[in-house]
Each structure stands twice: as structure tokens, then as C-alpha cells.
Amino acid sequence: MTPRDDLLLLLRNALWGEPIQIGEEKMAQERYEAIMQLAQEQAVTGLAGGAMMAGGIRLAKQPAMEVYALTGTTQQRNRQIDRAVTALCQRLEQEEGIRLIVVKGQTLARHYPDPSLRQSGDIDFIVHPDDWQRAMTLLRERMHLDICDTHSEKHVEFTVKDIDFEMHRILTVFARPRHQRYWEKTVMPEIWSQVRHIDMQGQRVPVLSPTHEVLYTFVHIFFHLIIEGIGLRQFCDWAMTTERTWQDIDTGTLQRHLQGIGLQKAYTGLGAVLTDRLGLPVEHFPYPISAQDHQQVERLMENIWKMGNFGHNQKYIREQGILHGAQHLWRIGRQASRFAHYAPTESWWRIPYMFKWWGMKLIRMITKK
């Protein structure tokens, strides 16, 4: 078995409790190191380590100590992020009446058998357009936070106690204007009208409805795939969200929105990763997956392994500047063309859109100086 096969077995155990057979009494040091290196690249070290412990895999003393420490660190960080989410909602929504929705990441962890083992990231939330200016004033003038201008129409960023936040004014940005209009005029009003609340550490946290949650989770995955690459952590999120909410998803509404943004074919195409590699029961996926989609899985997985989480396996020559921009545009062109068959219009529009985006960013940077 290869490290890739081993990691997928561990993930299927972490997600569904599938038994693990490693073919040896004690896992060899080299095999363990190869698995964990791959898990780090895919941002699933907590899940992999937890599966090793829960699955009864025998390790040498040093690897066993490393796994124990790793899972403990992941759990501790998740508790910190949870507290940050609840504090945000307490201050903005409960005390100030600012309408917001926490999306992705930490709110999706609730769908996992053990939420504390999902590797956390930053905290993303969107603020209602009518409350945006009040939220900005609160953060800057009353909470005295340093709001980072990302030169993006989508969001601003700030950090509180070593935890990064992204406050969205726009939930997602499509390359094709027609798709963006549909999203803003049809999907977003529906999203705001169907906000749900979950309990997190005794605090009410506003989240997306099940239908919108699987839709946005997928859109986030697809855009990262055709821009810079995407890792298995996000596919695990999509798989668990689908599994825990499949009976509550309005498949008609979901299909209508996928058609409106040009991503219906991509949804089933990428969905084959969930069923064929991560073990999601095929009957719980909302739509039939074609034989061609199943055949494309290996090619798709090869890119996932190669690019890593958000494309971090592929390093940039420079972190900023002209060379960084040129390499970024080249990478987008390569990724978008490679997977254009999943969503032709949105993929091909992405290339000229990014030239426009870099141009606008440069103008904003020059103007600001």
C-alpha cells in the first residue's frame, strides 16, 4: 500500500468508523512518517492521528508520543477557535444587533464524529449589507482593531489574539458576471431569509441552512481547485456536511442554484471524490454520478495530492511583486484549463477575470500610496 492509500483508509475511519487493516503488527517508522507528511500537506493531521489512536494501530514509542501531542494540540486550538466564534457572535449579533452568518471552517466541524480533530483555520463570516458600515465602525473605533485592506471586493481581515478573521461583504465572487448577478439577486436573499442558529459552547451561532451550506462548501472547493488547488480537508468537510444533512437538503433548490451559477456538472464530477475515495454512501449524494465522472476521479485526485491544501505544495518564486503575480496568473490558467470540462464558462472566464483583478489591485495599491 502507498502512503496515499494509507491516508485514505485513516480518513475513512475518522469519518465513518471503517476498520483499518495495515497489514503489519506495528506500523513501521518510515510508513508512519510518510503518512503524516501527506496528512500535513492535506491539512488532515488531526483526523489521521485520531484514527491511528482510535483504530488501535500500534506505533513505536516516539511516533505514538507525536500522535498524542498532535491530537492534543489540534483539540486545544479548536477550543480556542470555538471561543473566538462565540465571542464574535455575542458581541456583534447579540449585543449590537448586527446580522451575520459564520460560514465554512469551524461551523462545519459539528458534522464530524469528533469535531475537535478537524484542523481549524481562520474564521469566516459575512455581515448583512445594511449592517456593514456599523460593523466596520464597531471593529475600528470601539474595539480598536487593525482592519487589513486586502485590496479585495470580497472581504477585509483582522486578527484577535492570534486568530485570523475574514469579514465578508460578498460571500463569493464569480468570474462570469451573469453568475455573480444570479448569486447576489437570487441566492443571497434566500440565504439571509433562511439563517439557522446552532449551539456552540452555550452561545447561539448563526449558520447557513443545510441546502446553502452544501452549496457554498462546494463552491468554495471548486473555486480553489481552478485557481490554486485544494486539499482533502475541504472534501472531508463537504462529505460530512452532505452525510449529516442529506435528508434536509432541498435538492430541487440546490439544482436550480447550481444551474444558475453554471456548476451543476462540476458538483457531480467533484462529488465522485466523496463517494469513490472518502466513502460517502452513494445513496446520500443528492444526484447520480456518471461513469465518466467516476473515471475522472484518479486524475482529479492526482491534482489534489500534487497541489496540497490551497495549493501550498507549489511554492511561489516571490511572495509578492511582479514575479508572484505572473506565477499566480500562470497557475490559474493551468488549473482552470485542466478542469474546464467541469464548468466551461466559469473556468474560462476565470482567466481574464484574474488579469482584471490584478490590474485593479495594482491601481488600488498605487492610489493608496
Side-chain angles (χ1 to χ4, degrees):
M1 292 182 65
T2 68
R4 295 177 179 181
D5 295 328
D6 285 334
L7 180 59
L8 289 173
L9 281 177
L10 291 170
L11 291 179
R12 291 168 74 115
N13 174 271
L15 300 182
W16 326 109
E18 292 186 10
I20 306 172
Q21 298 293 334
I22 65 170
E24 54 190 22
E25 184 178 351
K26 180 184 291 186
M27 181 176 285
Q29 177 81 12
E30 290 183 359
R31 187 177 182 183
Y32 162 80
E33 291 176 353
I35 293 171
M36 296 310 289
Q37 175 61 38
L38 198 58
Q40 183 177 10
E41 294 171 359
Q42 298 295 322
V44 290
T45 51
L47 295 175
M52 287 182 183
M53 296 172 65
I57 294 178
R58 291 188 60 201
L59 298 170
K61 182 177 180 180
Q62 186 62 33
M65 293 174 61
E66 289 177 2
V67 168
Y68 183 79
L70 171 68
T71 54
T73 300
T74 302
Q75 292 169 330
Q76 181 181 19
R77 182 62 174 175
N78 272 307
R79 288 192 292 269
Q80 293 173 341
I81 301 290
D82 284 350
R83 288 194 294 269
V85 170
T86 58
L88 172 79
C89 296
Q90 174 68 30
R91 184 65 190 273
L92 269 65
E93 185 186 47
Q94 300 299 319
E95 297 180 10
E96 303 293 339
I98 293 172
R99 288 162 289 182
L100 67 111
I101 308 172
V102 184
V103 297
K104 297 189 297 187
Q106 212 64 14
T107 59
L108 299 183
R110 72 187 192 276
H111 298 306
Y112 285 75
D114 187 345
S116 70
L117 293 177
R118 179 193 178 275
Q119 188 168 319
S120 59
D122 55 12
I123 298 172
D124 289 76
F125 66 102
I126 184 168
V127 169
H128 193 282
D130 294 341
D131 297 335
W132 176 264
Q133 194 53 55
R134 282 204 302 129
M136 288 291 287
T137 299
L138 171 66
L139 296 175
R140 278 178 170 157
E141 299 181 8
R142 294 169 57 189
M143 297 179 67
H144 307 291
L145 295 176
D146 182 17
I147 306 299
C148 176
D149 182 2
T150 61
H151 305 289
S152 168
E153 60 184 315
K154 189 169 69 170
H155 65 265
V156 296
E157 300 174 355
F158 60 92
T159 301
V160 179
K161 296 180 180 178
D162 194 37
I163 296 175
D164 296 326
F165 292 78
E166 288 188 2
M167 185 170 78
H168 291 247
R169 57 166 66 88
I170 298 174
L171 195 54
T172 192
V173 177
F174 293 83
R176 190 180 185 187
R178 177 181 174 182
H179 296 159
Q180 190 69 46
R181 287 194 298 270
Y182 179 87
W183 183 270
E184 294 301 324
K185 293 182 179 181
T186 304
V187 180
M188 286 309 303
E190 192 177 280
I191 282 177
W192 284 112
S193 70
Q194 297 180 24
V195 178
R196 297 191 177 190
H197 285 79
I198 61 171
D199 179 82
M200 183 180 290
Q201 295 187 340
Q203 170 68 41
R204 280 165 47 89
V205 173
V207 298
L208 298 168
S209 73
T211 302
H212 299 131
E213 197 165 58
V214 294
L215 172 64
Y216 179 58
T217 301
F218 162 72
V219 169
H220 178 246
I221 289 172
F222 181 75
F223 282 165
H224 276 289
L225 174 69
I226 64 170
I227 292 174
E228 58 199 351
I230 193 70
L232 283 176
R233 178 179 63 164
Q234 281 67 37
F235 281 94
C236 289
D237 285 348
W238 187 19
M240 293 311 307
T241 302
T242 300
E243 169 63 18
R244 301 305 186 203
T245 65
W246 68 275
Q247 292 179 308
D248 299 318
I249 295 171
D250 185 332
T251 57
T253 296
L254 178 60
Q255 184 176 26
R256 176 166 50 86
H257 291 336
L258 289 169
Q259 291 173 339
I261 58 178
L263 297 183
Q264 183 176 9
K265 183 178 179 181
Y267 194 90
T268 55
L270 271 63
V273 172
L274 310 189
T275 58
D276 296 11
R277 293 297 183 269
L278 292 180
L280 174 74
V282 67
E283 62 271 19
H284 293 176
F285 193 76
Y287 310 112
I289 299 174
S290 70
Q292 184 179 13
D293 289 333
H294 290 299
Q295 293 169 2
Q296 291 286 337
V297 166
E298 192 55 43
R299 179 170 178 263
L300 181 57
M301 286 298 301
E302 189 61 35
N303 190 260
I304 292 170
W305 296 123
K306 179 181 179 181
M307 302 304 288
N309 191 51
F310 298 133
H312 289 167
N313 286 2
Q314 304 296 304
K315 303 300 182 183
Y316 282 99
I317 299 172
R318 296 284 188 275
E319 290 301 317
Q320 57 185 356
I322 295 176
L323 283 177
H324 174 85
Q327 188 178 1
H328 186 58
L329 290 171
W330 174 79
R331 181 181 294 183
I332 292 169
R334 184 185 62 179
Q335 287 292 110
S337 60
R338 181 174 287 149
F339 299 109
H341 60 281
Y342 287 122
T345 55
E346 185 61 31
S347 297
W348 290 121
W349 272 81
R350 180 60 54 177
I351 299 172
Y353 171 82
M354 290 309 299
F355 276 100
K356 176 184 175 183
W357 184 85
W358 273 101
M360 293 174 62
K361 178 178 179 179
L362 182 60
I363 291 172
R364 284 194 295 266
M365 291 174 68
I366 294 173
T367 303
K368 191 172 182 180
K369 288 181 180 179

